[in-house]
Amino acid sequence: MRRFDIVRALLLILLAAVPLTAQSPAATGRIVGRVVDATSGAPIADAGVHIVGTALGSRTGVDGRYTIGAVSAGMVAIQVRRIGFAAKTVAGVVVSAGETAEQDVALGTTTVQLEAQVVTASSERGTVSSALDAQRSAVGVVNSVTAEQISRSPDGDAAQAVKRVSGVTVQDGKYVFVRGLGERYTTSALNGARVPSPEPERRVVPLDMFPAGLLQSITTAKTFTPDLQGDFSGAFVDIRTREYPSQRTSMLQLGSGYEMGATGAPLVAPSAAGGERFANVGRSRALPALVQQVGDIQNLSLTQSDVNRLVGSFRNAWTPQASTGAPLLNGSASIGGNDDFLLGHKVGYLLSGTFASGMDLKEGQLRSLADRGNSPGETVEIDRFTGQTASQSSLWGGLANVSTLLGQSSRISFNGLYNRSGENSARVENGLFTADALKARITRMQYVERGLFSGQLAGEHQFGASQHLEWNATTSGVRRYEPDRTAFVQVYERDSDTGPEVLRWLSGGSGGAVRTFSDLRENSHEYSGKYSVTVPYAGIIRVGGLFRATSRDAQSLSYAFSANGATNAQRELPLEQIFDGRFTAPGSTLFTFAPLAQGGSYTAEDRLRAAFAMLETSVGTRLRVVGGARLESDRLQVNAHSTLGSPVSTTKRWDDVLPSLALTWQLTGTQQLRMSATRTLARPEYRELSPIISRDVVGGENVQGDEHLESTNVSTLDLRWEQYPSDGELFSVALFAKHFVNPVERVFGSGSGGTSFVFFTNAASADNLGVEVELRRNLGALASVLSPLSVFGNVTVMRSQIHLSEGTLAAATNLNRAMVGQAPYVINTGATYSTSDSRTSATLLFNRVGARLAAAGGSPLPDVVDLPRNVMDVSMRYSVSSSVVLRSDLKNLLDAPYQTVQGTVVRDYYRAGRTVTLGAQWRP
């Protein structure tokens, strides 16, 4: 915190001093911006920029930036010229008195003298075009989804939006898979800084936590460069929050929706303690204070009176209630601008908030386990249960972005973000415990609350014409709070062969009534800097470093309630009556109470230090070369403690050198070829290194970590041809190959009694090959009548092969399989119709992911596979006026089922239902 205090003090001093020396006359302003090559996106140095009709002008520096001061207030035109480029005049640049206008300009190359091009200022700010410009000028393979594309889709969060990117799939509605690789090979960042994970068994960030209304873009970098963090192999996903507008604007959006089968329908509803609808339950569902005071119950000798007091301290909520599904609601508001705030000093700002709530239904739900059959390769279904899950969900968030120029060569900015989500669900299912031939009903109620905050102070400084410095200091944190998860089991019994079936509490053993309390907190502090200098005849040299300190504290405590001596009459009572106090009165001896082994806790302390050096240079006029290396040193300690076991400590030390070489060859004015060779890594997740056993309460899997897991080294080759026929259009073909050493695999085995057992192991190696094709095209080139129609799509076809180590061969069923999480293909495609006046638009989106491994099967069980499903969405927009836009979104039109199979056994199955939403946006 001392470092942050120093930075804040310096910032206040600078802000106080700059206005005294940087004020402009009242009737003038200034224009700043950057001039880039329209073909490559590279900055253009020594370009002349002047105000048409005046003697005012400037020349660009090596980074393409320019500044023109003392510009008369009003609407002006600027002209940009550079030898070898077609001159361009940008009209309609608005300069306000005492303010700074920003205007970037892209110049096209030319070999003959052409008439200067004239465009309007607004035409230089198209978001889809800017995304393609960034993709074209990037060092490696990069894909982006912009705010404009998101606004034309029904996507409500970052997870839904990013699946439109080539080669990207999203599992469980939140976890990103790139090029068919599991989420462990994808790294997520917010405004360039790593985001902590709220998931107890993963370091991956669930992207459904980021509302779409707060997003400026989602950039997916598939090629490693030394200035990027090295622990990714599939992609580096950078979520950029919205930036402040150049002029003061405000926005209000409201909407509502209907989910077929859920909204207005009778559903089961979980019990509430208060605050669930706003994802803020506080202490209302916390572990009882008495249980917290007692602490480690396992090592205590409890009297029956103590047991009764402990049992009576829990919230008496066991059974879901009947309710009616609520409609979907969403809304957002924002205000931003670029105004004088500090003694005439101009500050850009954006304040934005968003909220969404609704009801989700998993209809026709089925789950079961697979067991070995009587013949080799045969699978038999066991523990089959069918039912329904209904969830009340909410997601809200806010951001505050502030930025200001200090003089003419420095910019300071602050980005703040806070998100919170909550899901309150109830599940009721009926089925059979195969081993005991027990017909049973299982009821679960679960509430999960997740929160994320991030605060980033960043600076950018230009020293002369050849030196540039960027730095940022970020503090962020997450919490996953799952208080008072309830699970109980009732069985159908007959008192005689001909008697009626009676539903009774399974009061014996330790699985009949269970309460679980989980809490995870992770905090991270990250500091990074990057310095670049242009050296004549050599190119641009960049060096930098990063330090990140991460701390995680995860706790899960489970307690079992049982009553072995309960009579049938007592077991037939509703659980709210059994636990209402009548059987915990003094002298009662009905209950026993104990912790369960599936609980436990662990802490992790992770310290990462990194440094890099890279050179960007040109060979001739067509070849750009970027090469360098990154050194990462990671120190990790994980301390694990199961509920019934002893603490175990695991220490890891990883030191890695990660080289990178990327070439971009400009074939023509519209075509280029990229080639790259890199090496990256993937480290095991914290929980995977904890050698304690955890288990779902009823019918779940046992999961055990392994402290001997090693990190994975990944070598990647990329080759990509790109063509940009015109503004906003793209056609590309890419080949990629990856070789993994020591990949970590999640493997399903079979434990005693048919219960699944999950463990983690290092395979010897693996290979991943694939092809990506991407197209974005306006159909007006085919016929003028088709000019309102644009099509876009991307297809990725890939194949992977795992090579098992000697230690895992005996436990493997399939010796010739793909990597866990690998899909053989991904298809994203769609079409957009937009009228010439842009008042009406409609977008059709389609997505399909091939069958992929959810987990490898341990001998003799086969692999667990997620089956393909087709997803189609439609989004429509209509501008009533210049300030009001109506929108309609249709999601999951095909309602294809989610299915996971293991051999001939269907492990999971359900349908999510179709959704219709209507809304309006107002910009006063």
Side-chain angles (χ1 to χ4, degrees):
M1 294 304 295
R2 184 175 298 174
R3 299 184 186 181
F4 280 109
D5 292 338
I6 295 173
V7 172
R8 293 191 187 102
L10 290 174
L11 178 59
L12 292 175
I13 294 172
L14 289 170
L15 290 177
V18 169
L20 300 177
T21 61
Q23 293 183 34
S24 303
T28 64
R30 63 176 181 170
I31 302 175
V32 300
R34 192 165 183 252
V35 179
V36 299
D37 186 333
T39 301
S40 66
I44 299 176
D46 201 34
V49 186
H50 79 276
I51 308 299
V52 176
T54 74
L56 298 175
S58 177
R59 303 199 74 83
T60 58
V62 70
D63 61 342
R65 299 182 185 277
Y66 71 93
T67 300
I68 305 176
V71 181
S72 297
M75 186 176 293
V76 301
I78 63 174
Q79 188 176 75
V80 184
R81 293 182 178 273
R82 177 69 163 86
I83 296 176
F85 294 86
K88 177 179 283 190
T89 299
V90 181
V93 180
V94 179
V95 180
S96 300
E99 297 185 358
T100 298
E102 296 190 24
Q103 182 60 58
D104 295 340
V105 183
L107 297 183
T109 58
T110 181
T111 57
V112 296
Q113 185 65 34
L114 297 176
E115 183 179 352
Q117 183 182 4
V118 179
V119 299
T120 63
S122 60
S123 68
E124 290 288 294
R125 301 184 183 130
T127 55
V128 173
S129 297
S130 65
L132 292 181
D133 286 341
Q135 178 174 324
R136 175 170 49 191
S137 60
V139 174
V141 177
V142 172
N143 296 97
S144 294
V145 176
T146 66
E148 179 184 357
Q149 293 165 290
I150 295 172
S151 69
R152 293 181 177 178
S153 74
D155 301 333
D157 55 57
Q160 297 174 26
V162 76
K163 69 183 181 183
R164 314 298 180 188
V165 173
S166 174
V168 172
T169 61
V170 177
Q171 189 178 51
D172 299 333
K174 61 185 72 174
Y175 304 118
V176 173
F177 284 38
V178 180
R179 289 177 168 175
L181 299 175
E183 73 269 15
R184 72 172 64 249
Y185 299 110
T186 299
T187 299
S188 299
L190 180 66
N191 296 317
R194 181 66 57 83
V195 184
S197 171
E199 300 303 304
E201 296 182 358
R202 298 169 165 141
R203 278 191 294 178
V204 67
V205 179
L207 297 191
D208 63 335
M209 292 187 62
F210 299 93
L214 304 183
L215 305 180
Q216 181 70 25
S217 65
I218 306 174
T219 300
T220 304
K222 300 175 184 176
T223 300
F224 167 72
T225 54
D227 56 340
L228 296 177
Q229 299 182 32
D231 55 344
F232 83 88
S233 305
F236 180 82
V237 179
D238 189 14
I239 303 168
R240 292 283 173 175
T241 54
R242 293 173 55 195
E243 299 176 353
Y244 69 88
S246 58
Q247 296 181 351
R248 185 182 302 174
T249 60
S250 58
M251 183 273 291
L252 176 64
Q253 179 174 303
L254 296 173
S256 182
Y258 174 87
E259 181 172 329
M260 298 181 184
T263 304
L267 301 173
V268 295
S271 65
E276 286 88 354
R277 287 190 178 273
F278 298 96
N280 189 18
V281 299
R283 300 288 300 172
S284 61
R285 302 172 63 111
L287 185 69
L290 178 61
V291 181
Q292 294 184 53
Q293 293 174 4
V294 172
D296 188 0
I297 298 175
Q298 181 67 24
N299 296 321
L300 296 178
S301 297
L302 299 177
T303 65
Q304 185 63 53
S305 177
D306 295 331
V307 169
N308 291 343
R309 290 180 58 204
L310 290 171
V311 171
S313 68
F314 284 82
R315 191 169 63 100
N316 188 20
W318 295 92
T319 307
Q321 307 299 313
S323 73
T324 301
L328 311 179
L329 298 173
N330 64 80
S332 62
S334 66
I335 183 171
N338 204 11
D339 300 329
D340 293 336
F341 277 98
L342 301 174
L343 302 177
H345 191 80
K346 181 181 176 183
V347 176
Y349 63 94
L350 174 67
L351 303 175
S352 182
T354 183
F355 172 80
S357 68
M359 178 69 70
D360 298 314
L361 176 67
K362 293 181 178 179
E363 186 61 62
Q365 195 166 18
L366 179 152
R367 70 171 184 88
S368 64
L369 298 177
D371 198 5
R372 69 193 72 181
N374 296 323
S375 59
E378 181 185 4
T379 52
V380 177
E381 182 184 71
I382 62 172
D383 294 355
R384 175 190 174 95
F385 283 84
T386 59
Q388 181 188 91
T389 298
S391 302
Q392 300 168 351
S393 62
S394 62
L395 171 65
W396 59 269
L399 66 85
N401 290 348
V402 181
S403 178
T404 185
L405 291 170
L406 303 180
Q408 296 185 5
S409 59
S410 296
R411 180 189 296 274
I412 299 293
S413 63
F414 172 80
N415 296 312
L417 174 78
Y418 183 80
N419 288 341
R420 184 185 284 271
S421 67
E423 183 175 19
N424 198 21
S425 62
R427 178 172 179 169
V428 178
E429 54 189 3
N430 290 278
L432 180 71
F433 287 120
T434 306
D436 300 317
L438 282 177
K439 186 179 178 182
R441 170 180 288 182
I442 300 177
T443 303
R444 301 184 186 186
M445 294 191 296
Q446 180 182 26
Y447 172 77
V448 179
E449 184 177 292
R450 297 178 297 176
L452 179 148
F453 74 87
S454 174
Q456 182 183 83
L457 185 65
E460 184 179 359
H461 311 275
Q462 183 73 31
F463 304 102
S466 62
Q467 301 179 68
H468 190 74
L469 174 65
E470 298 177 26
W471 57 266
N472 71 70
T474 305
T475 180
S476 56
V478 294
R479 186 186 187 190
R480 184 186 188 275
Y481 187 42
E482 187 182 352
D484 207 5
R485 169 180 165 183
T486 302
F488 72 91
V489 182
Q490 295 167 290
V491 293
Y492 293 90
E493 296 179 340
R494 297 179 187 270
D495 293 329
S496 64
D497 293 340
T498 59
E501 282 188 339
V502 180
L503 194 61
R504 293 168 177 156
W505 174 36
L506 185 64
S507 59
S510 60
V514 177
R515 303 293 274 269
T516 302
F517 299 80
S518 300
D519 197 2
L520 179 148
R521 299 173 188 263
E522 182 173 319
N523 293 285
S524 178
H525 300 280
E526 181 174 306
Y527 310 92
S528 65
K530 180 169 61 178
Y531 170 78
S532 61
V533 57
T534 301
V535 179
Y537 308 106
I540 302 176
I541 298 175
R542 292 188 177 92
V543 296
L546 176 144
F547 173 77
R548 182 172 65 245
T550 303
S551 300
R552 169 177 284 200
D553 189 344
Q555 184 181 68
S556 180
L557 301 173
S558 293
Y559 301 93
F561 304 76
S562 55
N564 291 316
T567 64
N568 286 342
Q570 292 171 334
R571 294 170 55 214
E572 292 173 15
L573 293 173
L575 261 69
E576 278 77 9
Q577 294 184 26
I578 296 176
F579 289 92
D580 64 1
R582 67 185 70 183
F583 299 121
T584 57
S588 177
T589 60
L590 181 68
F591 287 116
T592 56
F593 176 74
L596 289 178
Q598 64 258 34
S601 63
Y602 71 93
T603 61
E605 296 291 333
D606 195 358
R607 301 293 181 267
L608 176 71
R609 296 168 177 85
F612 75 88
M614 57 187 293
L615 171 67
E616 180 178 348
T617 187
S618 297
V619 180
T621 58
R622 293 181 177 272
L623 183 62
R624 182 165 57 142
V625 181
V626 179
R630 183 180 185 90
L631 171 65
E632 289 199 352
S633 179
D634 191 18
R635 301 294 181 266
L636 171 65
Q637 181 169 339
V638 180
N639 298 312
H641 195 298
S642 67
T643 304
L644 304 181
S646 301
V648 180
S649 180
T650 302
T651 300
K652 290 292 184 179
R653 301 169 64 92
W654 291 298
D655 295 298
D656 297 276
V657 177
L658 307 173
S660 172
L661 177 64
L663 310 175
T664 302
W665 184 21
Q666 197 68 42
L667 300 174
T668 67
T670 60
Q671 299 180 53
Q672 62 187 21
L673 182 67
R674 300 180 183 276
M675 295 165 282
S676 66
T678 63
R679 193 173 83 184
T680 56
L681 58 89
R683 302 182 182 96
E685 310 294 350
Y686 300 146
R687 175 61 186 85
E688 294 171 355
L689 292 167
S690 305
I692 63 173
I693 297 177
S694 62
R695 179 173 58 87
D696 286 347
V697 174
V698 178
E701 296 100 20
N702 292 289
V703 180
Q704 182 170 16
D706 185 350
E707 70 271 29
H708 300 296
L709 290 177
E710 297 295 333
S711 63
T712 304
N713 290 317
V714 187
S715 299
T716 302
L717 295 176
D718 272 298
L719 178 66
R720 176 167 166 142
W721 172 82
E722 299 172 345
Q723 182 182 31
Y724 299 87
S726 62
D727 186 36
E729 296 187 335
L730 163 69
F731 179 56
S732 69
V733 179
L735 307 175
F736 61 87
K738 298 177 181 291
H739 179 69
F740 299 78
V741 178
N742 295 325
V744 176
E745 291 285 286
R746 177 184 173 95
V747 180
F748 264 111
S750 180
S752 60
T755 302
S756 295
F757 187 85
V758 176
F759 63 95
F760 303 93
T761 184
N762 282 116
S765 63
D767 294 296
N768 177 239
L769 304 172
V771 179
E772 288 179 331
V773 179
E774 184 173 7
L775 171 70
R776 181 175 292 274
R777 184 73 170 171
N778 182 273
L779 298 185
L782 301 179
S784 58
V785 71
L786 298 178
S787 58
L789 191 62
S790 297
V791 295
F792 50 89
N794 55 77
V795 178
T796 305
V797 179
M798 51 218 151
R799 180 180 181 274
S800 66
Q801 174 70 56
I802 195 79
H803 309 288
L804 300 177
S805 57
E806 292 295 331
T808 59
L809 285 174
T813 300
N814 189 352
L815 302 180
N816 185 26
R817 63 169 175 82
M819 299 175 66
V820 171
Q822 172 73 65
Y825 62 87
V826 177
I827 301 173
N828 291 301
T829 187
T832 295
Y833 173 85
S834 181
T835 58
S836 57
D837 58 5
S838 298
R839 294 190 61 180
T840 303
S841 67
T843 300
L844 173 69
L845 299 166
F846 176 82
N847 170 263
R848 180 180 171 89
V849 180
R852 60 188 174 193
L853 263 68
S859 181
L861 296 177
D863 300 329
V864 181
V865 178
D866 290 333
L867 296 184
R869 60 187 302 266
N870 298 323
V871 181
M872 183 176 292
D873 304 323
V874 175
S875 184
M876 293 171 284
R877 305 291 182 267
Y878 175 70
S879 297
V880 178
S881 65
S882 59
S883 58
V884 178
V885 178
L886 302 180
R887 61 181 295 167
S888 175
D889 297 321
L890 311 175
K891 296 183 63 176
N892 194 30
L893 290 178
L894 304 179
D895 195 20
Y898 293 84
Q899 294 185 80
T900 300
V901 300
Q902 188 170 17
T904 59
V905 175
V906 178
R907 293 284 305 264
D908 290 287
Y909 176 98
Y910 66 90
R911 293 182 183 270
R914 301 173 178 88
T915 300
V916 180
T917 59
L918 301 173
Q921 183 184 87
W922 177 50
R923 291 184 180 272

